[in-house]
Amino acid sequence: MTEPALIEVNGIRLRTWTLGDGPLVILVHGFPETAHSWRHQVAALSAAGYRVAAPDVRGYGGSDAPEPVEAYAMEEMTRDFADLATALSPDPAVIVGHDWGAPLAWNTARLFPERFRAVAGLSVPYAPPGDHAPIDIYHKLFTEKDRFFYQVYFQDEGVAEAELEADPEDSLVKFYYAWSGDAPEHGWPTDKKHGDKVLTGLTRPDLPLSWFTQEDLDAYAAAFEVSGFRGPLNRYRNHRRDHDFLKAHPSNPIIQQPSLFIYGDRDPVLTMFRTPPEKLLPATLADLRGVHRLPGIGHWTQQEAPETVNRLLIDWLRAL
Protein backbone atom coordinates (compact mmCIF):
# COMPACT_ATOMS: atom_id res chain seq x y z
CA MET A 1 0.00 0.00 0.00
CA THR A 2 1.10 3.59 -0.56
CA GLU A 3 2.04 6.01 2.19
CA PRO A 4 -0.91 6.83 4.48
CA ALA A 5 -2.30 10.23 5.44
CA LEU A 6 -3.75 11.41 8.73
CA ILE A 7 -7.35 12.45 8.02
CA GLU A 8 -9.31 14.45 10.58
CA VAL A 9 -12.69 12.95 11.46
CA ASN A 10 -15.00 13.42 14.42
CA GLY A 11 -12.37 15.21 16.54
CA ILE A 12 -9.60 12.64 15.95
CA ARG A 13 -7.22 11.62 13.15
CA LEU A 14 -7.34 8.30 11.33
CA ARG A 15 -4.23 7.03 9.57
CA THR A 16 -5.66 6.07 6.21
CA TRP A 17 -4.28 4.44 3.09
CA THR A 18 -5.99 5.43 -0.16
CA LEU A 19 -5.44 4.11 -3.66
CA GLY A 20 -7.19 4.42 -7.00
CA ASP A 21 -9.84 6.58 -8.61
CA GLY A 22 -13.56 6.07 -8.90
CA PRO A 23 -16.42 5.40 -6.47
CA LEU A 24 -15.24 5.32 -2.86
CA VAL A 25 -15.00 2.03 -0.94
CA ILE A 26 -14.03 2.17 2.75
CA LEU A 27 -12.54 -0.98 4.31
CA VAL A 28 -12.89 -1.33 8.11
CA HIS A 29 -10.68 -3.84 9.91
CA GLY A 30 -11.36 -5.75 13.11
CA PHE A 31 -9.59 -7.01 16.25
CA PRO A 32 -6.68 -7.44 16.66
CA GLU A 33 -5.66 -6.14 13.24
CA THR A 34 -4.93 -2.92 11.36
CA ALA A 35 -5.48 -1.67 7.83
CA HIS A 36 -2.79 -4.22 6.87
CA SER A 37 -5.52 -6.88 6.95
CA TRP A 38 -6.87 -5.40 3.70
CA ARG A 39 -3.50 -5.49 1.88
CA HIS A 40 -4.83 -7.86 -0.80
CA GLN A 41 -8.07 -5.95 -1.35
CA VAL A 42 -6.69 -2.41 -1.68
CA ALA A 43 -4.76 -3.20 -4.85
CA ALA A 44 -7.45 -5.43 -6.37
CA LEU A 45 -10.36 -3.05 -5.79
CA SER A 46 -8.41 -0.01 -6.96
CA ALA A 47 -7.37 -1.88 -10.13
CA ALA A 48 -11.06 -2.67 -10.69
CA GLY A 49 -11.89 1.03 -10.82
CA TYR A 50 -12.58 2.10 -7.25
CA ARG A 51 -11.02 4.58 -4.87
CA VAL A 52 -10.19 2.48 -1.82
CA ALA A 53 -9.65 3.84 1.69
CA ALA A 54 -8.30 1.57 4.44
CA PRO A 55 -7.96 3.32 7.80
CA ASP A 56 -6.44 2.15 11.03
CA VAL A 57 -9.56 2.24 13.22
CA ARG A 58 -9.36 4.63 16.18
CA GLY A 59 -7.14 3.15 18.87
CA TYR A 60 -5.06 1.13 16.40
CA GLY A 61 -1.68 1.65 14.77
CA GLY A 62 -1.04 5.24 13.73
CA SER A 63 -4.55 6.57 14.37
CA ASP A 64 -5.44 8.60 17.43
CA ALA A 65 -6.26 6.58 20.54
CA PRO A 66 -8.45 8.43 23.05
CA GLU A 67 -8.22 7.12 26.60
CA PRO A 68 -11.88 6.87 27.76
CA VAL A 69 -13.80 3.64 27.27
CA GLU A 70 -16.80 5.57 25.95
CA ALA A 71 -14.66 7.04 23.13
CA TYR A 72 -14.97 3.61 21.47
CA ALA A 73 -18.76 3.43 21.54
CA MET A 74 -20.65 2.58 18.36
CA GLU A 75 -22.05 6.11 18.26
CA GLU A 76 -18.55 7.61 18.05
CA MET A 77 -16.96 5.08 15.74
CA THR A 78 -19.71 5.02 13.13
CA ARG A 79 -19.41 8.79 12.90
CA ASP A 80 -15.67 8.35 12.25
CA PHE A 81 -16.48 6.50 9.03
CA ALA A 82 -19.27 8.85 8.01
CA ASP A 83 -16.86 11.75 8.38
CA LEU A 84 -14.17 9.85 6.50
CA ALA A 85 -16.57 9.27 3.62
CA THR A 86 -17.45 12.96 3.56
CA ALA A 87 -13.78 13.93 3.59
CA LEU A 88 -12.90 11.67 0.67
CA SER A 89 -15.88 11.86 -1.68
CA PRO A 90 -18.85 14.11 -2.43
CA ASP A 91 -20.83 11.03 -3.46
CA PRO A 92 -22.18 8.21 -1.27
CA ALA A 93 -19.60 5.52 -0.52
CA VAL A 94 -19.60 1.78 -0.03
CA ILE A 95 -18.45 0.44 3.35
CA VAL A 96 -17.04 -3.04 3.96
CA GLY A 97 -16.11 -4.39 7.40
CA HIS A 98 -14.54 -7.51 8.89
CA ASP A 99 -14.77 -8.84 12.48
CA TRP A 100 -15.53 -5.81 14.73
CA GLY A 101 -15.36 -3.81 11.51
CA ALA A 102 -18.46 -5.66 10.30
CA PRO A 103 -20.83 -4.40 13.05
CA LEU A 104 -19.25 -0.98 12.60
CA ALA A 105 -19.92 -1.12 8.85
CA TRP A 106 -23.45 -2.50 9.22
CA ASN A 107 -24.41 0.19 11.71
CA THR A 108 -22.65 2.99 9.86
CA ALA A 109 -24.82 2.15 6.86
CA ARG A 110 -27.89 2.03 9.08
CA LEU A 111 -27.18 5.33 10.85
CA PHE A 112 -25.89 7.30 7.82
CA PRO A 113 -27.87 6.06 4.81
CA GLU A 114 -27.27 9.34 2.99
CA ARG A 115 -23.50 8.75 3.06
CA PHE A 116 -23.42 5.02 2.19
CA ARG A 117 -25.01 3.40 -0.82
CA ALA A 118 -24.09 -0.21 -0.01
CA VAL A 119 -22.57 -2.29 2.80
CA ALA A 120 -20.78 -5.63 3.06
CA GLY A 121 -19.70 -7.63 6.10
CA LEU A 122 -17.14 -10.38 6.50
CA SER A 123 -17.26 -12.94 9.33
CA VAL A 124 -19.82 -11.21 11.60
CA PRO A 125 -23.43 -11.04 10.33
CA TYR A 126 -25.69 -8.09 10.99
CA ALA A 127 -27.98 -8.37 13.99
CA PRO A 128 -30.22 -5.52 15.19
CA PRO A 129 -30.23 -4.99 18.96
CA GLY A 130 -32.35 -7.49 20.86
CA ASP A 131 -33.92 -7.33 24.28
CA HIS A 132 -30.63 -7.71 26.14
CA ALA A 133 -27.10 -6.37 25.63
CA PRO A 134 -24.77 -9.10 24.30
CA ILE A 135 -22.48 -8.93 27.34
CA ASP A 136 -25.41 -9.82 29.63
CA ILE A 137 -26.18 -12.82 27.44
CA TYR A 138 -22.51 -13.87 27.56
CA HIS A 139 -22.51 -13.73 31.35
CA LYS A 140 -25.51 -16.08 31.46
CA LEU A 141 -24.09 -18.47 28.90
CA PHE A 142 -20.53 -18.54 30.20
CA THR A 143 -19.74 -16.77 33.49
CA GLU A 144 -22.64 -18.25 35.42
CA LYS A 145 -21.54 -21.71 34.23
CA ASP A 146 -17.87 -21.10 35.14
CA ARG A 147 -16.87 -21.12 31.49
CA PHE A 148 -14.32 -18.82 29.89
CA PHE A 149 -15.45 -16.34 27.25
CA TYR A 150 -12.94 -13.90 25.84
CA GLN A 151 -15.36 -10.95 25.62
CA VAL A 152 -16.14 -11.30 29.33
CA TYR A 153 -12.42 -11.50 30.08
CA PHE A 154 -11.87 -8.29 28.11
CA GLN A 155 -14.27 -6.28 30.32
CA ASP A 156 -11.91 -5.44 33.21
CA GLU A 157 -9.66 -2.54 32.25
CA GLY A 158 -5.97 -3.34 32.33
CA VAL A 159 -6.22 -7.13 32.70
CA ALA A 160 -6.18 -8.22 29.06
CA GLU A 161 -3.92 -5.29 28.22
CA ALA A 162 -1.24 -6.58 30.59
CA GLU A 163 -1.42 -10.09 29.16
CA LEU A 164 -1.41 -9.14 25.48
CA GLU A 165 1.12 -6.31 25.75
CA ALA A 166 3.70 -8.47 27.55
CA ASP A 167 4.74 -9.80 24.12
CA PRO A 168 2.59 -8.35 21.30
CA GLU A 169 4.17 -10.48 18.59
CA ASP A 170 3.55 -13.73 20.49
CA SER A 171 0.02 -12.67 21.47
CA LEU A 172 -0.96 -11.75 17.94
CA VAL A 173 0.37 -14.80 16.13
CA LYS A 174 -1.26 -17.16 18.64
CA PHE A 175 -4.57 -15.31 18.28
CA TYR A 176 -4.42 -15.33 14.48
CA TYR A 177 -3.58 -19.02 14.28
CA ALA A 178 -6.21 -20.13 16.80
CA TRP A 179 -9.03 -18.47 14.82
CA SER A 180 -7.75 -19.47 11.37
CA GLY A 181 -8.80 -22.30 9.13
CA ASP A 182 -5.34 -23.82 9.63
CA ALA A 183 -5.84 -24.42 13.35
CA PRO A 184 -6.64 -27.95 14.51
CA GLU A 185 -9.99 -28.71 16.15
CA HIS A 186 -10.12 -26.92 19.51
CA GLY A 187 -7.22 -24.70 18.45
CA TRP A 188 -9.37 -22.10 20.17
CA PRO A 189 -9.96 -24.02 23.44
CA THR A 190 -13.56 -24.50 24.54
CA ASP A 191 -12.88 -26.11 27.94
CA LYS A 192 -11.37 -23.14 29.80
CA LYS A 193 -12.81 -21.85 33.06
CA HIS A 194 -13.93 -18.36 33.98
CA GLY A 195 -10.84 -16.61 35.31
CA ASP A 196 -8.42 -18.22 32.84
CA LYS A 197 -6.42 -15.97 30.54
CA VAL A 198 -7.13 -15.49 26.86
CA LEU A 199 -3.79 -16.91 25.67
CA THR A 200 -3.98 -20.01 27.87
CA GLY A 201 -3.99 -23.10 25.66
CA LEU A 202 -3.14 -21.28 22.43
CA THR A 203 -0.37 -22.65 20.21
CA ARG A 204 2.28 -20.60 18.45
CA PRO A 205 2.57 -21.81 14.84
CA ASP A 206 5.64 -21.98 12.67
CA LEU A 207 5.63 -19.31 9.96
CA PRO A 208 4.95 -18.87 7.15
CA LEU A 209 1.39 -20.13 6.93
CA SER A 210 -0.15 -20.33 3.48
CA TRP A 211 -1.79 -16.93 4.03
CA PHE A 212 0.41 -15.28 6.67
CA THR A 213 4.14 -14.50 6.69
CA GLN A 214 6.67 -13.28 9.21
CA GLU A 215 6.57 -9.93 7.41
CA ASP A 216 2.83 -9.72 8.04
CA LEU A 217 3.36 -10.51 11.72
CA ASP A 218 6.11 -7.88 11.92
CA ALA A 219 3.76 -5.26 10.48
CA TYR A 220 1.04 -6.05 13.00
CA ALA A 221 3.40 -6.29 15.96
CA ALA A 222 5.01 -2.95 15.13
CA ALA A 223 1.58 -1.30 15.06
CA PHE A 224 0.57 -2.73 18.45
CA GLU A 225 3.92 -1.78 19.97
CA VAL A 226 2.86 1.81 19.18
CA SER A 227 -0.85 1.69 20.04
CA GLY A 228 -1.02 -0.95 22.74
CA PHE A 229 -4.27 -2.85 23.23
CA ARG A 230 -6.36 -0.48 25.36
CA GLY A 231 -8.21 1.22 22.50
CA PRO A 232 -8.95 -2.05 20.67
CA LEU A 233 -10.17 -3.70 23.89
CA ASN A 234 -12.34 -0.70 24.77
CA ARG A 235 -14.59 -1.61 21.83
CA TYR A 236 -15.65 -4.71 23.80
CA ARG A 237 -16.41 -2.59 26.87
CA ASN A 238 -19.27 -0.71 25.21
CA HIS A 239 -21.80 -3.52 24.79
CA ARG A 240 -24.43 -1.99 27.07
CA ARG A 241 -23.81 1.56 25.84
CA ASP A 242 -24.09 0.42 22.22
CA HIS A 243 -27.22 -1.62 22.92
CA ASP A 244 -29.00 1.30 24.56
CA PHE A 245 -27.95 3.71 21.79
CA LEU A 246 -28.98 1.47 18.89
CA LYS A 247 -32.18 0.34 20.58
CA ALA A 248 -33.30 3.95 21.04
CA HIS A 249 -32.14 5.28 17.67
CA PRO A 250 -35.01 6.24 15.35
CA SER A 251 -33.38 4.88 12.18
CA ASN A 252 -34.76 1.71 10.61
CA PRO A 253 -33.01 -1.32 12.18
CA ILE A 254 -33.55 -3.19 8.91
CA ILE A 255 -30.71 -2.07 6.64
CA GLN A 256 -32.09 -0.90 3.30
CA GLN A 257 -28.97 -0.58 1.13
CA PRO A 258 -27.68 -3.37 -1.12
CA SER A 259 -25.67 -5.74 1.05
CA LEU A 260 -23.35 -8.74 0.94
CA PHE A 261 -22.02 -11.23 3.50
CA ILE A 262 -18.95 -13.50 3.27
CA TYR A 263 -17.73 -15.94 5.90
CA GLY A 264 -15.59 -19.03 6.43
CA ASP A 265 -17.08 -22.34 7.48
CA ARG A 266 -14.31 -22.80 10.10
CA ASP A 267 -14.88 -19.41 11.74
CA PRO A 268 -15.43 -19.69 15.54
CA VAL A 269 -17.81 -16.71 15.27
CA LEU A 270 -20.40 -19.14 13.91
CA THR A 271 -20.79 -20.61 17.39
CA MET A 272 -22.10 -17.24 18.67
CA PHE A 273 -25.17 -17.30 16.40
CA ARG A 274 -27.93 -19.88 16.78
CA THR A 275 -29.26 -19.23 13.28
CA PRO A 276 -27.07 -19.75 10.18
CA PRO A 277 -26.34 -16.51 8.30
CA GLU A 278 -28.22 -17.76 5.25
CA LYS A 279 -31.42 -17.86 7.33
CA LEU A 280 -30.67 -14.95 9.68
CA LEU A 281 -29.78 -12.19 7.24
CA PRO A 282 -32.76 -12.06 4.86
CA ALA A 283 -34.85 -10.82 7.79
CA THR A 284 -32.46 -7.99 8.69
CA LEU A 285 -31.05 -6.88 5.32
CA ALA A 286 -33.73 -5.63 2.94
CA ASP A 287 -31.60 -5.87 -0.24
CA LEU A 288 -29.32 -8.82 0.47
CA ARG A 289 -27.47 -9.75 -2.72
CA GLY A 290 -25.51 -12.75 -1.55
CA VAL A 291 -24.33 -14.87 1.37
CA HIS A 292 -21.12 -16.74 0.58
CA ARG A 293 -19.74 -19.55 2.77
CA LEU A 294 -16.05 -20.29 2.08
CA PRO A 295 -15.00 -23.89 2.77
CA GLY A 296 -11.93 -24.43 4.94
CA ILE A 297 -11.61 -20.74 5.81
CA GLY A 298 -11.47 -19.46 9.37
CA HIS A 299 -12.03 -16.04 10.85
CA TRP A 300 -9.51 -13.98 8.86
CA THR A 301 -11.65 -14.12 5.75
CA GLN A 302 -10.01 -11.61 3.40
CA GLN A 303 -6.51 -12.68 4.41
CA GLU A 304 -7.08 -16.44 4.21
CA ALA A 305 -8.99 -16.35 0.90
CA PRO A 306 -7.98 -13.09 -0.80
CA GLU A 307 -8.65 -14.08 -4.41
CA THR A 308 -12.12 -15.41 -3.65
CA VAL A 309 -13.03 -12.42 -1.48
CA ASN A 310 -11.73 -9.99 -4.11
CA ARG A 311 -13.80 -11.67 -6.83
CA LEU A 312 -16.97 -11.67 -4.71
CA LEU A 313 -16.54 -8.04 -3.71
CA ILE A 314 -15.77 -6.82 -7.23
CA ASP A 315 -18.71 -8.73 -8.76
CA TRP A 316 -21.02 -7.28 -6.12
CA LEU A 317 -19.67 -3.74 -6.53
CA ARG A 318 -20.02 -3.83 -10.31
CA ALA A 319 -23.65 -4.95 -10.01
CA LEU A 320 -24.66 -2.09 -7.70
Side-chain angles (χ1 to χ4, degrees):
M1 293 192 288
T2 58
E3 288 299 310
L6 287 173
I7 299 177
E8 293 191 8
V9 300
N10 192 23
I12 64 166
R13 299 170 302 165
L14 295 182
R15 182 172 69 169
T16 304
W17 284 261
T18 58
L19 187 66
D21 296 302
L24 178 63
V25 180
I26 295 176
L27 305 175
V28 185
H29 70 79
F31 176 93
E33 299 172 284
T34 64
H36 185 74
S37 71
W38 297 107
R39 59 196 176 277
H40 304 296
Q41 286 68 50
V42 171
L45 296 184
S46 62
Y50 298 91
R51 186 181 188 194
V52 185
D56 283 347
V57 172
R58 68 161 64 196
Y60 289 81
S63 293
D64 286 347
E67 184 73 10
V69 169
E70 59 270 23
Y72 298 84
M74 186 71 70
E75 182 176 7
E76 293 294 338
M77 297 186 73
T78 53
R79 187 166 294 280
D80 289 351
F81 306 120
D83 285 1
L84 184 63
T86 299
L88 293 177
S89 174
D91 301 315
V94 175
I95 188 166
V96 181
H98 167 256
D99 181 76
W100 255 127
L104 290 169
W106 296 126
N107 284 294
T108 301
R110 171 192 166 179
L111 299 173
F112 299 94
E114 74 286 354
R115 291 300 311 139
F116 295 94
R117 64 191 181 97
V119 55
L122 282 61
S123 179
V124 180
Y126 175 61
D131 294 333
H132 304 284
I135 193 62
D136 296 324
I137 297 172
Y138 301 151
H139 277 300
K140 286 187 175 295
L141 292 177
F142 294 95
T143 311
E144 293 179 9
K145 299 178 181 179
D146 194 30
R147 298 170 61 199
F148 174 86
F149 188 61
Y150 72 103
Q151 295 199 35
V152 173
Y153 176 71
F154 288 168
Q155 295 305 303
D156 293 331
E157 295 178 51
V159 176
E161 285 92 331
E163 182 186 6
L164 298 172
E165 290 171 4
D167 187 342
E169 181 188 78
D170 188 66
S171 300
L172 291 166
V173 73
K174 287 179 177 177
F175 209 101
Y176 298 149
Y177 181 61
W179 282 62
S180 76
D182 292 334
E185 188 176 3
H186 304 305
W188 181 257
T190 57
D191 59 350
K192 288 158 61 170
K193 301 297 184 182
H194 179 65
D196 285 344
K197 294 184 177 182
V198 71
L199 297 178
T200 299
L202 302 192
T203 301
R204 178 162 184 154
D206 293 327
L207 296 181
L209 303 173
S210 62
W211 58 276
F212 191 81
T213 68
Q214 182 63 48
E215 290 74 21
D216 293 325
L217 178 58
D218 291 344
Y220 283 123
F224 280 90
E225 289 282 0
V226 171
S227 69
F229 283 82
R230 177 179 171 81
L233 290 165
N234 278 346
R235 177 85 282 276
Y236 292 90
R237 296 166 182 156
N238 279 281
H239 277 301
R240 293 189 183 95
R241 185 176 286 106
D242 292 347
H243 177 267
D244 292 346
F245 167 69
L246 292 172
K247 193 78 172 175
H249 200 276
S251 62
N252 190 343
I254 306 302
I255 291 175
Q256 301 298 303
Q257 297 98 315
S259 58
L260 180 75
F261 184 64
I262 306 170
Y263 72 107
D265 68 358
R266 297 206 66 217
D267 191 338
V269 166
L270 293 176
T271 64
M272 301 181 201
F273 292 85
R274 295 180 179 179
T275 306
E278 291 85 351
K279 295 182 179 180
L280 172 70
L281 291 174
T284 61
L285 300 171
D287 191 3
L288 179 60
R289 300 191 179 186
V291 175
H292 300 278
R293 181 184 180 104
L294 308 186
I297 300 303
H299 183 65
W300 316 107
T301 324
Q302 74 271 26
Q303 297 186 80
E304 294 185 57
E307 293 182 1
T308 301
V309 169
N310 292 347
R311 175 179 55 80
L312 291 171
L313 287 175
I314 291 169
D315 289 348
W316 172 70
L317 286 166
R318 286 177 172 165
L320 291 176

